[in-house]
Amino acid sequence: MGDRLRLADVEHMPTDELVQMITESFDNLVTVAIAEATNGYVPQRTRRLLRKAEWRLDWQDALLCACGELQVAVERMRYGRDPRLEPTEHRLRRVRNRAHEAGVLAKKLRSNDFNNSAERKIGTNSHLTALGWLRTAFPGEFAELLQQERARRNVGDEAEKPSFRNVHEQIEYACEHGQLTAPRTPEVDMLVAADDAAVRLATAVDAKDQEERNTALRHPLMLGRWENALRELGERTAERAHAETPHGLGTLPDDFYALPSEKAIAVLNSRRFLAAIQQRRLEYKRYVRQITQALREREREDPHVLALAETKAAAGRLLVERYPSEYAYVRAVLRPHEECDGFLPRSLATSPERSEIKRRVLEALADRTWMRSEAYEAG
């Protein structure tokens, strides 16, 4: 059967062998993605495999690549009146449907990660939300209590974090301070020192060969320049590809099919390259999300960060003891919005309604009108 997988092979391939082949080759993954979308005899175990959390994003990558390749193939066949046009159009429609499904599942995966994050859990916990608003209402008192707890627990002041203009500055800082480890190979050093033209060239070569991956471009220190190169290449290619935007191929204008063969082929080649750039941009975003998520997890596991969190929690409890009625008022305001005792709905966590509730609570605490509020009287 060889190392290169064929569409007809997929339905007969044992799962363990299939996993090995798609792990080693992106082209094989694209083949499996197309077969799963178009062949009704592909086993359910293969369909489940692609939708697992560990493969879901790679499956989306492969489908986006397949969509670009198939769309350009359809346009080439339509231009040349190729008799294979109709079945290829059908295959493209099926793959696009799968790409939409994969996009929905990838979004669900990111949503689950966010909903399970510590930040989101705080936003859905009434007790923690009330405590946070109380700290905002009485910042001086909380700072005093926090300092006392730090001294009592012998926890040093938290080192001031630098402000970052973008995520790439954050990643660079993490590499420099040992929060993120990534080997600096000679290829990486060469690209880091290269000018923008050289990075664009490396990016173009990488995009043209979907099977290969230039690992140096994917080094954390190169992600920002890789993104810039992808954006510039997309902008430069869009016009030649007769695309209205660098972010999608769109539909070719009717006058394309009247172009001479040499010009038409040049347009189609540009469109194929633009589709590859779009796939690489999706891949770039994945790398950044994975790195930033890893940084958040490592920060939460840092002993000093954990000690500071415990210190803040203790200072918060002391603040509640100092302002028990005010805390009870905030809890009373939040209670009608709870799904169950102590828990707010996720829909409220990021809604404008939450911001408005917080604004009213802080104003009432500031001007002491909270004591005349219905929530306080009901409590």
Side-chain angles (χ1 to χ4, degrees):
M1 190 172 294
D3 294 331
R4 185 66 180 265
L5 195 61
R6 297 176 303 172
L7 285 171
D9 298 331
V10 175
E11 64 180 272
H12 307 292
M13 184 74 62
T15 304
D16 54 350
E17 188 175 345
L18 191 66
V19 169
Q20 181 179 352
M21 294 193 74
I22 64 178
T23 299
E24 295 174 351
S25 168
F26 183 74
D27 280 349
N28 284 341
L29 178 58
V30 173
T31 300
V32 173
I34 294 174
E36 192 277 333
T38 59
N39 185 343
Y41 297 102
V42 169
Q44 286 299 317
R45 63 179 182 273
T46 300
R47 301 184 192 279
R48 289 193 295 268
L49 169 69
L50 294 174
R51 290 160 175 79
K52 287 184 177 179
E54 59 266 34
W55 279 105
R56 196 174 293 173
L57 299 179
D58 293 304
W59 179 46
Q60 184 189 24
D61 268 0
L63 286 166
L64 181 60
C65 176
C67 282
E69 292 283 345
L70 285 169
Q71 179 171 343
V72 176
V74 163
E75 292 164 348
R76 194 184 302 273
M77 290 175 184
R78 186 175 292 121
Y79 177 83
R81 294 180 171 84
D82 193 307
R84 297 170 297 173
L85 173 61
E86 186 174 345
T88 306
E89 284 182 321
H90 176 72
R91 179 176 290 176
L92 173 59
R93 287 193 295 271
R94 297 292 297 272
V95 171
R96 279 177 171 167
N97 288 338
R98 279 294 190 271
H100 174 73
E101 179 189 348
V104 170
L105 291 175
K107 186 176 180 180
K108 182 178 180 181
L109 185 64
R110 293 194 298 271
S111 178
N112 288 341
D113 288 341
F114 175 64
N115 288 331
N116 292 326
S117 67
E119 297 83 359
R120 189 60 183 268
K121 288 178 179 178
I122 291 174
T124 56
N125 185 303
S126 283
H127 303 280
L128 295 177
T129 297
L131 178 57
W133 292 3
L134 198 68
R135 291 200 304 259
T136 303
F138 303 102
E141 289 88 339
F142 178 70
E144 175 190 342
L145 293 170
L146 181 60
Q147 194 61 38
Q148 291 173 5
E149 279 298 300
R150 281 177 173 170
R152 188 176 71 82
R153 295 166 177 256
N154 196 26
V155 177
D157 289 343
E158 184 177 4
E160 184 178 351
K161 294 181 182 178
S163 58
F164 304 110
R165 290 179 299 176
N166 52 53
V167 68
H168 302 299
E169 282 193 355
Q170 180 187 2
I171 292 173
E172 184 177 350
Y173 178 87
C175 289
E176 291 175 353
H177 291 80
Q179 299 167 4
L180 190 64
T181 56
R184 287 283 295 265
T185 64
E187 292 78 13
V188 171
D189 289 335
M190 185 169 61
L191 265 186
V192 168
D195 60 20
D196 291 344
V199 174
R200 275 197 306 273
L201 177 60
T203 300
V205 171
D206 176 85
K208 286 176 181 177
D209 191 345
Q210 288 285 312
E211 172 66 5
E212 297 299 326
R213 292 294 190 277
N214 185 337
T215 55
L217 282 172
R218 290 155 177 80
H219 190 278
L221 293 177
M222 282 301 302
L223 289 177
R225 299 189 68 191
W226 186 32
E227 181 199 20
N228 288 336
L230 287 169
R231 185 179 62 255
E232 291 172 5
L233 287 170
E235 291 170 350
R236 295 181 181 192
T237 307
E239 184 176 355
R240 297 197 301 271
H242 290 201
E244 294 182 2
T245 167
H247 309 295
L249 293 181
T251 304
L252 278 169
D254 293 338
D255 59 4
F256 163 78
Y257 297 98
L259 289 176
S261 175
E262 184 177 346
K263 290 185 177 180
I265 291 174
V267 171
L268 292 169
N269 288 340
S270 294
R271 289 174 71 78
R272 188 168 184 264
F273 179 61
L274 183 59
I277 290 294
Q278 291 162 3
Q279 184 275 325
R280 288 299 199 247
R281 285 181 65 86
L282 180 67
E283 188 178 342
Y284 149 79
K285 292 177 182 177
R286 283 182 51 200
Y287 278 101
V288 170
R289 280 196 297 267
Q290 290 167 357
I291 289 175
T292 53
Q293 182 176 350
L295 288 176
R296 286 195 298 269
E297 291 173 355
R298 290 173 189 176
E299 183 178 357
R300 285 195 292 267
E301 295 169 358
D302 183 90
H304 184 64
V305 172
L306 290 172
L308 282 171
E310 292 171 359
T311 303
K312 288 180 179 179
R317 290 192 293 270
L318 292 173
L319 187 66
V320 171
E321 292 175 6
R322 183 176 291 188
Y323 294 101
S325 298
E326 288 84 346
Y327 175 76
Y329 157 71
V330 180
R331 289 283 289 113
V333 170
L334 290 172
R335 193 165 292 115
H337 302 279
E338 294 177 346
E339 286 184 322
C340 55
D341 186 34
F343 292 95
L344 298 164
R346 288 176 177 173
S347 58
L348 182 67
T350 56
S351 71
E353 183 183 3
R354 179 190 176 95
S355 299
E356 178 60 21
I357 297 169
K358 181 179 180 181
R359 184 189 64 78
R360 293 199 306 267
V361 165
L362 294 179
E363 285 182 355
L365 289 172
D367 59 22
R368 302 188 63 80
T369 56
W370 62 272
M371 290 182 285
R372 302 192 301 273
S373 68
E374 293 181 3
Y376 176 66
E377 292 172 356

